[in-house]
Amino acid sequence: MNLPNKLTLVRVFLVPVFIVLLMLQGGTNQTLRIWALVVFCAASFTDFLDGQIARRQHLVTDFGKFMDPLADKLLVCSALICMIELQELPAWYVIIIIAREFIISGFRLVAADNGIVIAASYWGKFKTTFQMFTVILLILNIPAWHTFMMVIAGIAMVLTIVSLVDYMAKNIEVITKGGM
């Protein structure tokens, strides 16, 4: 259990803390929203940090390749689902993002069954970054930034779809040889 893997696990454990802070008092308490934002940003920063450390110190592991994207999905999807509950994001938007995550997770499981580990792609990393930025803007909920937030959310959606197509295209052997 190296440092990058521990940081990934910290991100997983911060998810329920974030959810509780955001959802307490129906998401209307600005102080709790700011604390939720701090926790979300800290968790998001561990995503950047664990990847940097793993690559620079040659600590990339199969556990990290599997858990890092899973921790990202858990953090971002939990936040987006909370935004539906708080009526700050439409359900269709979150459904598309979660559908992509299920497809990629299933794809990774089939690959793993065939001895293939699929690491996160650059498109997937860009997608995660824009999704996290979208969540930050949603938590802040600053009316003057609404148009900017919509643009960032739109870019996140495009990257969600592009990264799905990229994973499928680059790993087509998982489908053709994996029995999917």
Side-chain angles (χ1 to χ4, degrees):
M1 186 57 61
N2 60 33
L3 180 58
N5 291 342
K6 289 176 183 174
L7 288 170
T8 296
L9 291 176
V10 165
R11 187 161 63 258
V12 170
F13 292 123
L14 286 176
V15 171
V17 175
F18 162 73
I19 292 169
V20 168
L21 289 169
L22 183 63
M23 299 306 293
L24 274 175
Q25 298 180 8
T28 59
N29 184 310
Q30 285 306 112
T31 302
L32 291 174
R33 280 182 87 111
I34 295 300
W35 279 110
L37 177 64
V38 168
V39 171
F40 184 84
C41 288
S44 296
F45 184 68
T46 66
D47 179 36
F48 167 77
L49 196 58
D50 67 16
Q52 291 295 313
I53 293 169
R55 284 185 291 281
R56 286 189 182 156
Q57 296 183 6
H58 306 288
L59 297 173
V60 176
T61 63
D62 285 346
F63 176 84
K65 287 179 187 177
F66 176 75
M67 278 304 294
D68 180 64
L70 191 60
D72 297 341
K73 288 172 182 43
L74 184 60
L75 177 64
V76 172
C77 290
S78 296
L80 294 174
I81 290 167
C82 288
M83 291 302 160
I84 294 171
E85 177 69 19
L86 297 173
Q87 298 180 351
E88 295 177 19
L89 203 57
W92 66 264
Y93 183 91
V94 179
I95 290 168
I96 291 171
I97 289 173
I98 292 175
R100 181 254 183 222
E101 303 307 342
F102 273 111
I103 291 166
I104 295 300
S105 294
F107 205 66
R108 281 193 165 124
L109 286 173
V110 171
D113 256 3
N114 291 286
I116 302 167
V117 176
I118 301 175
S121 74
Y122 286 107
W123 286 112
K125 291 176 185 182
F126 293 143
K127 176 259 324 165
T128 299
T129 300
F130 272 86
Q131 287 176 353
M132 287 177 173
F133 195 43
T134 298
V135 170
I136 289 168
L137 292 171
L138 285 164
I139 294 168
L140 287 171
N141 197 20
I142 299 171
W145 293 4
H146 181 74
T147 301
F148 177 65
M149 191 276 305
M150 295 304 293
V151 169
I152 297 301
I155 293 170
M157 180 56 64
V158 168
L159 290 172
T160 296
I161 295 165
V162 168
S163 67
L164 172 63
V165 171
D166 179 60
Y167 271 106
M168 302 295 278
K170 285 183 178 173
N171 298 288
I172 195 71
E173 74 276 1
V174 172
I175 296 171
T176 58
K177 294 179 183 172
M180 228 177 148

